[in-house]
Amino acid sequence: MLGLFGITERETARERVEEPAGVLSGLLSGTRVATSHGWRPVQALCAGDRVVTFDSGMQQLCGVTRHRVWTGETACPQRFWPLDVGRGVLGNRAPLRVMPHQVLMVESDLAETLWGDPFALLPGVALEAAPGVARVMPEPGAEVVVLHFESEQVIFAENGLMALCPASCNLLDYAQERAGPRYEVLSLTEARGLVLAMARMNGLTAAPRDVAQSDPWVQA
C-alpha cells in the first residue's frame, strides 16, 4: 500500500529499523566493584549507591547506563570484542576481561621513572600488545555498564582492576574523548611499551601478537 509521498508502508517500516550498534568501553556485566556495601556486581548498582574511588574516597553515583556490546543479529565485529587478560599480565590476581576502549589505571615503578607517577592511565586496547592477552567474542546479549559520577573517578574492581568512569552520560562520546581534564591517558605507543615492560617484569616473555591497525583507537 502506498503511503504519503508515494512511499510504501513496508519501506517506511524498513527505515524505522535501527542500524546495529556496538560499544567499546564500560565494565562488562558481572564485574564486581568496591562499594560501601562490599564487592557488588556492576549491573546491580544504581544512582545513589556509594562506590569506593581512587582519589576521592566514597562517592555517590549520579547515574548508571547499560548497553549491549553488539545489537546486530549478525556476528559481533571483532573491534567490539572484549580483551581476555591472563593472570599476572598487569599483576592481576586472576584473569580479567575488559573492553578495548575502557581506560584503565595501572601501577608500575617504570611509570614513576618515566613520568614521575607510579600510576598510569592507558586504553584497554594497549593490553593486546602483551602475551597472555587475546580478544574473545562476547556472549550473545552481553552488556556493559557505565558508572557516572559528578566528576570523573577511578574505581576499584575485582582482582586488582582499576577503571576510569566518566562524568559524561554519553558512552560513545566518552570513548572518543578518552578522559577529561582530571586525568591524562598515555598515548597508545607509550601504553603498549609500558604494558610489554610490565609483562616481562611479571615473567611473561612469549612473543606478542601483531596488534590490528584497524582499531578505532589507533585511527583516532
Side-chain angles (χ1 to χ4, degrees), residues 54-78:
F54 181 80
D55 286 311
S56 306
M58 205 73 68
Q59 290 292 309
Q60 191 174 75
L61 291 171
C62 64
V64 177
T65 57
R66 295 171 174 81
H67 303 262
R68 285 178 59 188
V69 174
W70 174 245
T71 64
E73 296 181 0
T74 58
C76 179
Q78 189 171 358

Side-chain angles (χ1 to χ4, degrees), residues 22-42:
V23 294
L24 293 158
S25 61
L27 298 176
L28 285 158
S29 183
T31 303
R32 295 193 303 162
V33 173
T35 76
S36 59
H37 296 290
W39 294 98
R40 296 182 61 195
V42 67

Side-chain angles (χ1 to χ4, degrees), residues 108-200:
S108 166
D109 291 339
L110 179 58
E112 184 170 28
T113 299
L114 293 174
W115 301 293
D117 190 335
F119 296 97
L121 288 151
L122 52 81
V125 70
L127 303 181
E128 198 172 17
V133 179
R135 297 226 185 198
V136 292
M137 181 180 291
E139 297 291 330
E143 289 188 334
V144 294
V145 180
V146 183
L147 305 179
H148 305 281
F149 297 88
E150 287 190 2
S151 60
E152 58 186 1
Q153 302 287 346
V154 172
I155 65 166
F156 297 92
E158 58 189 336
N159 298 321
L161 180 67
M162 293 183 284
L164 183 65
C165 296
S168 166
C169 285
N170 188 318
L171 176 65
L172 298 180
D173 283 352
Y174 178 67
Q176 295 300 320
E177 292 166 4
R178 313 290 200 264
R182 258 187 100 183
Y183 296 99
E184 183 175 350
V185 183
L186 296 179
S187 71
L188 191 57
T189 299
E190 291 172 327
R192 284 176 178 161
L194 178 61
V195 166
L196 281 170
M198 291 178 66
R200 293 190 190 101

